[in-house]
Amino acid sequence: MDHRIIPIAAPMDVRARKRQAPKGRRVDPQALAEVQQLLGSASRQPDLLIEHLHRIQDRFGRLSSEHLAALAQEMRLAQTEVYEVASFYHHFDIVKEGGESPPALTVRVCDGLSCEMAGAQELLDKLPAILGREVRVLHAPCIGRCEQAPAAVVGQNPVPEASVQKIAEAVQARAIVHRPEGFIDFDAYQAAGGYALLRQCVQGERDVESVISIMEASGLRGLGGAGFPAGRKWRIVRAEPAPRLMAVNIDEGEPGTFKDRVYLERDPHRFLEGMLVAAWAVGIAGIYIYLRDEYHGCRALLERELARLRANPPVAGMPTIELRRGAGAYICGEESAMIESIEGKRGMPRLRPPYVAQVGLFGRPTLEHNFETLYWVRELVEKGAEWFSSEGRHGRKGLRSFSVSGRVRQPGVKLAPAGITIRELIDEYCGGMQGGHEFYGYLPGGASGGILPASMGDIPLDFDTLQPYGCFIGSAAVIVLSNHDTAVAAARNMMRFFRDESCGQCTPYRAGTAKAVVLIEQPRWDLPLLAELSAVMRDASICGLGQAAPNPVDCVIKYFPHELDLAPSPSGTGLR
């Protein structure tokens, strides 16, 4: 018997038939025309995908399947690539074909820890009935206005110290004029001696080695959270082959952090000059500034001041500067995830090595800096390393910008000596505790920096001083708890945030935070299981955010065991 397999030829008409259209959704001619008109002469290069998604959503209030398909064709990208990027970021509203569009106006109420303590949940409970079905009310992660808690955003306009009445008035007005107090524009900055340092550098009055040496001697470290020495970073990147790029991180999504926003709203050119001095010292060809989408007003003023800077450059041969807009993703505060987002992709952290300094933006060596690090460059170089290093307390050196929120009388950004204790910070810079509140505990470094009790309130607040206690200072976001709060409730708030903000790339962070939320919402905590979960997240998460996520829970178990005996449930006055 012949067991050979004889192939069956397809009929001639089937084999000869050619595909009439590309695979995937057919592009709607009207949607394509709308996208083409909206983009105009703007480049269709792939790294502008997120920028173009924002254009579409800003114009139509949503991202329809038809517009996504049209954008994919216009940018010569796969439709799946466009969809996966759009669906990754919280601020993009995707409406499938035949689906119902979101209401014309969205109100986002921050439910970060400081806002939750100030009554955010009450706003979330009351607003839907008051505002009606034509307004969508959503929970939002920290929006960087913790000193104004509770805070909300109506459309793209922030409502500080929000109440039901204030939010209702903002909904009626639909627009709030952004007028930062004490703002220093381009002309005022130059009149006060601004950009003189940059001119000295470019004209040869200062040499690269002397400037980098000042940065190294000052001890200035990265102020976005990681704390890598700034001068050393400049030297490392400068040694890499050209062309070199710079990425500036203004995506301060760590709950409790708002210092970058406050400085940007007051003195943006001090930051821009520091950025250009760093670019000169390192030999940077192009600069990309990544600004979080929640800072709508900051984006408008920064665009305006950048336009004035380009129109009247203080020196010749400035590198190109591009402002890129985030889209709501905490993970993009991590340097490699931010770089992925600037390149128009999902903000997922990269595996290391290679490091960003070697292979960063578009495969080039990249100098990555936090906004505040660059903000201090001008003053530090002009005054010298000793000026900065002479500041400090309790054996520490330098200055720190503390974002203080919570149960203090005077929250805000407090420029204080490095090494100051939390008790000194509260008493000397924040006017003490609020009336009727007693100091109970504090988060020294935002959501991921851990939680400590008031009995440990004499630890110097600085890099490397908190690690022995399972905490860290990070971006110096200090949230103060009182006897009206519990550390258990704070940990629940933080862990829900981490769960919702996972990029989904690695199982330890994605599944670990979700499992941790379930476990700590129980009346009795399974301590052995939580310990195993913490170990796995620390050892196996890809990025530092996942590795630090267990800190709040671990600190509760270690420093607040009495609360576990009481087993508070997710309900109560201030915190859930």
Side-chain angles (χ1 to χ4, degrees):
M1 181 180 294
D2 190 350
H3 294 284
R4 290 178 299 172
I5 299 176
I6 308 298
I8 301 175
M12 183 60 67
D13 61 332
V14 175
R15 286 185 296 171
R17 188 171 60 200
K18 295 183 178 179
R19 186 179 300 280
Q20 298 300 313
K23 288 183 178 181
R25 176 182 297 278
R26 302 286 183 90
V27 175
D28 178 71
Q30 180 179 347
L32 180 61
E34 291 172 342
V35 168
Q36 290 173 337
Q37 181 180 17
L38 189 61
L39 300 187
S41 61
S43 172
R44 269 61 166 174
Q45 62 197 56
D47 58 285
L48 291 173
L49 174 57
I50 294 172
E51 296 295 306
H52 293 339
L53 288 169
H54 274 303
R55 288 191 181 199
I56 295 172
Q57 177 150 305
D58 288 347
R59 170 63 179 82
F60 298 101
R62 67 193 187 284
L63 295 175
S64 68
S65 298
E66 293 83 359
H67 283 138
L68 290 178
L71 181 62
Q73 177 169 311
E74 190 67 11
M75 297 187 71
R76 298 189 176 183
L77 297 171
Q79 293 184 24
T80 53
E81 186 175 356
V82 173
Y83 181 83
E84 74 175 7
V85 170
S87 60
F88 180 85
Y89 295 94
H90 297 318
H91 291 183
F92 290 137
D93 287 317
I94 300 176
V95 179
K96 296 182 179 180
E97 187 175 2
E100 185 176 347
S101 295
L105 186 64
T106 297
V107 173
R108 289 182 166 88
V109 178
C110 176
D111 61 0
L113 180 57
S114 298
C115 286
E116 192 171 78
M117 286 193 293
Q121 188 56 46
E122 183 179 358
L123 293 176
L124 286 161
D125 292 339
K126 292 181 177 179
L127 285 172
I130 294 172
L131 299 180
R133 299 179 64 181
E134 295 183 359
V135 177
R136 179 175 57 167
V137 179
L138 299 176
H139 293 257
C142 183
I143 61 174
R145 295 185 176 273
C146 315
E147 85 281 25
Q148 303 168 356
V153 180
V154 175
Q156 292 182 319
N157 299 293
V159 182
E161 299 176 5
S163 63
V164 171
Q165 181 178 350
K166 280 188 175 182
I167 292 174
E169 291 173 353
V171 168
Q172 291 296 320
R174 297 292 174 110
I176 301 172
V177 179
H178 189 72
R179 294 192 182 96
E181 295 181 5
F183 179 70
I184 302 172
D185 65 8
F186 180 69
D187 293 334
Y189 183 76
Q190 287 213 113
Y195 292 110
L197 173 63
L198 178 63
R199 293 189 187 95
Q200 292 170 9
C201 292
V202 173
Q203 294 168 4
E205 298 177 37
R206 293 179 183 266
D207 62 89
V208 170
E209 181 57 36
S210 67
V211 171
I212 294 181
S213 295
I214 290 173
M215 294 292 294
E216 290 175 325
S218 71
L220 179 68
R221 295 171 65 169
L223 299 173
F228 193 87
R232 190 193 308 172
K233 183 181 287 190
W234 288 17
R235 198 176 292 281
I236 290 171
V237 179
R238 180 177 171 80
E240 295 293 325
R244 295 174 285 271
L245 301 175
M246 182 190 293
V248 181
N249 191 340
I250 322 181
D251 191 63
E252 53 176 1
E254 182 73 21
T257 309
F258 49 90
K259 60 183 177 61
D260 293 351
R261 189 208 86 236
V262 169
Y263 287 139
L264 178 57
E265 288 178 335
R266 297 176 182 175
D267 198 356
H269 288 280
R270 185 172 297 273
F271 146 69
L272 291 173
E273 183 171 10
M275 178 184 78
L276 291 170
V277 168
W280 162 81
V282 179
I284 297 296
I287 301 171
Y288 293 79
I289 302 173
Y290 190 84
L291 179 66
R292 70 181 306 198
D293 194 35
E294 288 85 350
Y295 292 169
H296 176 66
C298 290
R299 185 171 65 255
L301 70 84
L302 191 53
E303 286 174 341
R304 183 178 69 246
E305 296 305 313
L306 280 171
R308 299 181 69 181
L309 180 67
R310 294 187 187 104
N312 299 281
V315 294
M318 288 198 315
T320 59
I321 304 172
E322 292 196 33
L323 180 60
R324 293 295 174 88
R325 179 178 173 185
Y330 166 68
I331 194 69
C332 290
E334 195 275 340
E335 62 175 7
S336 65
M338 177 189 68
I339 284 174
E340 289 285 296
S341 189
I342 292 173
E343 293 180 355
K345 297 179 282 190
R346 293 176 295 170
M348 289 189 168
R350 297 176 177 177
L351 294 171
R352 299 177 182 84
Y355 296 94
V356 165
Q358 302 163 314
V359 181
L361 263 172
F362 309 113
R364 300 308 310 164
T366 300
L367 178 66
E368 191 276 341
H369 264 316
N370 167 256
F371 168 93
E372 195 202 349
T373 309
L374 297 170
Y375 183 86
W376 290 113
V377 167
R378 174 193 163 186
E379 193 164 7
L380 198 155
V381 174
E382 288 180 342
K383 293 183 177 179
E386 291 184 3
W387 162 75
F388 187 79
S389 60
S390 66
E391 300 286 345
R393 289 189 188 179
H394 306 296
R396 310 304 297 178
K397 294 182 178 181
L399 293 167
R400 293 287 174 270
S401 298
F402 294 93
S403 302
V404 186
S405 62
R407 305 297 191 179
V408 295
R409 289 185 185 274
Q410 300 167 10
V413 175
K414 312 297 179 180
L415 183 62
I420 193 171
T421 69
I422 184 63
R423 293 186 187 279
E424 293 169 339
L425 187 64
I426 293 171
D427 292 341
E428 298 176 30
Y429 289 82
C430 303
M433 298 291 291
Q434 293 176 0
H437 290 262
E438 297 177 8
F439 179 39
Y440 176 70
Y442 64 109
L443 286 74
S448 55
I451 310 174
L452 292 172
S455 60
M456 300 175 69
D458 296 319
I459 301 171
L461 298 176
D462 196 13
F463 295 112
D464 309 321
T465 60
L466 294 158
Q467 279 85 335
Y469 308 98
C471 299
F472 58 81
I473 193 170
S475 58
V478 177
I479 304 176
V480 179
L481 307 178
S482 78
N483 56 325
H484 292 252
D485 310 305
T486 67
V488 165
R492 285 172 175 153
N493 179 287
M494 299 292 97
M495 196 54 68
R496 287 194 297 267
F497 170 82
F498 292 136
R499 176 200 61 193
D500 296 342
E501 291 296 321
S502 168
C503 75
Q505 181 176 196
C506 70
T507 302
Y509 190 179
R510 182 186 67 247
T513 53
K515 181 65 174 178
V517 168
V518 173
L519 290 173
I520 66 175
E521 294 285 10
Q522 301 303 312
R524 290 285 185 269
W525 287 15
D526 187 334
L527 300 186
L529 185 55
L530 282 168
E532 287 185 41
L533 197 59
S534 173
V536 170
M537 293 172 68
R538 293 183 187 281
D539 293 342
S541 293
I542 289 176
C543 74
L545 303 184
Q547 295 159 13
N551 282 346
V553 172
D554 289 351
C555 285
V556 169
I557 295 171
K558 187 174 183 179
Y559 300 119
F560 299 88
H562 58 283
E563 290 192 18
L564 300 179
D565 294 335
L566 296 174
S569 60
S571 62
T573 53
L575 294 172
R576 292 183 295 134

